[in-house]
Amino acid sequence: MEALIVIDVQKGCLKIPRFEIKTKIEKMNMLLDTFHEKGLPVFFIQHNGIKENYLLPGTEDFDLEESLHVMETDIRIEKKVNNAFYETTLKEQLDSLKINTLYIAGLATEFCVNATVLDALNYDYTIIVAGDGHTTADRELLSADKIINFYNWLWPNLTPTKGKIEVKNTSEIVKSVE
């Protein structure tokens, strides 16, 4: 079974200029609409920034971006580090739903998206990253578009465990989701 994981698309995260954020959210919404229409599970991961005094639960910064197509049935999980699996219920909830394929979108590419992708590999999931559905900000050493392109190249070139990892555009994913 398949599930969509959308990482850290929170109001506070979007105070930092993100590369092509409007287009990226449109792509995420295409994925959300597809998963909702097919009755497949959707997980929203939200960063609890208690360690950084940032993105604190109960504040507007912690809230999901308003333009996301969120449904009441979507599952929300708080995390306190980059990896959405670390000390959260994500793995247990995926296992209880018999999920073996994860579709991943969100931000920031080189931080929370990457950390979650790498740990998902350790759990033998098949992973499909929405190559046009994740983003980041310009960094001191690299521009956001170069970071995104690098990770879109890196992830499918990693040696997978029992699962596999692919990067696909949203339009490809929408056509292939069962």
Side-chain angles (χ1 to χ4, degrees):
M1 189 161 164
E2 303 168 318
L4 174 62
I5 299 176
V6 179
I7 302 170
D8 294 353
V9 188
Q10 294 163 259
K11 290 180 181 178
C13 293
L14 299 180
K15 288 182 176 179
I16 299 165
R18 303 291 178 169
F19 180 73
E20 296 182 346
I21 190 61
K22 288 183 181 179
T23 302
K24 303 294 182 173
I25 289 176
E26 288 172 8
K27 301 293 185 180
M28 289 179 223
N29 280 334
M30 287 173 61
L31 294 170
L32 288 162
D33 292 346
T34 299
F35 276 75
H36 290 145
E37 288 167 12
K38 295 191 180 276
L40 295 169
V42 171
F43 291 81
F44 282 99
I45 309 300
Q46 290 173 266
H47 189 80
N48 174 337
I50 193 85
K51 292 179 181 179
E52 304 94 352
N53 196 29
Y54 167 70
L55 302 174
L56 301 173
T59 67
E60 189 173 341
D61 283 354
F62 184 77
D63 293 342
L64 293 171
E65 166 57 35
E66 292 170 351
S67 61
L68 288 172
H69 297 175
V70 181
M71 294 184 68
E72 287 183 24
T73 55
D74 296 336
I75 301 161
R76 295 183 189 209
I77 295 179
E78 279 186 33
K79 64 178 180 61
K80 293 182 181 171
V81 298
N82 300 118
N83 177 355
F85 288 96
Y86 182 76
E87 294 185 359
T88 71
T89 62
L90 180 58
K91 173 89 169 77
E92 291 79 15
Q93 291 196 51
L94 292 169
D95 288 350
S96 73
L97 295 169
K98 300 194 182 336
I99 304 296
N100 56 18
T101 301
L102 305 178
Y103 292 83
I104 298 178
L107 54 109
T109 301
E110 73 279 27
F111 289 107
C112 300
V113 174
N114 183 55
T116 301
V117 166
L118 294 178
D119 209 21
L121 276 178
N122 292 331
Y123 290 122
D124 298 328
Y125 290 106
T126 293
I127 302 156
I128 295 99
V129 179
D132 56 356
H134 63 92
T135 192
T136 191
D138 288 335
R139 305 297 180 190
E140 188 176 329
L141 297 175
L142 286 173
S143 63
D145 62 320
K146 286 189 166 113
I147 294 168
I148 292 164
N149 288 336
F150 172 75
Y151 282 94
N152 282 345
W153 168 84
L154 175 71
W155 290 322
N157 285 293
L158 293 172
T159 302
T161 53
K162 293 178 186 172
K164 64 179 180 176
I165 183 165
E166 297 178 272
V167 174
K168 294 183 177 181
N169 287 326
T170 301
S171 59
E172 292 176 86
I173 293 171
V174 166
K175 290 176 189 172
S176 69
V177 171
E178 299 175 18

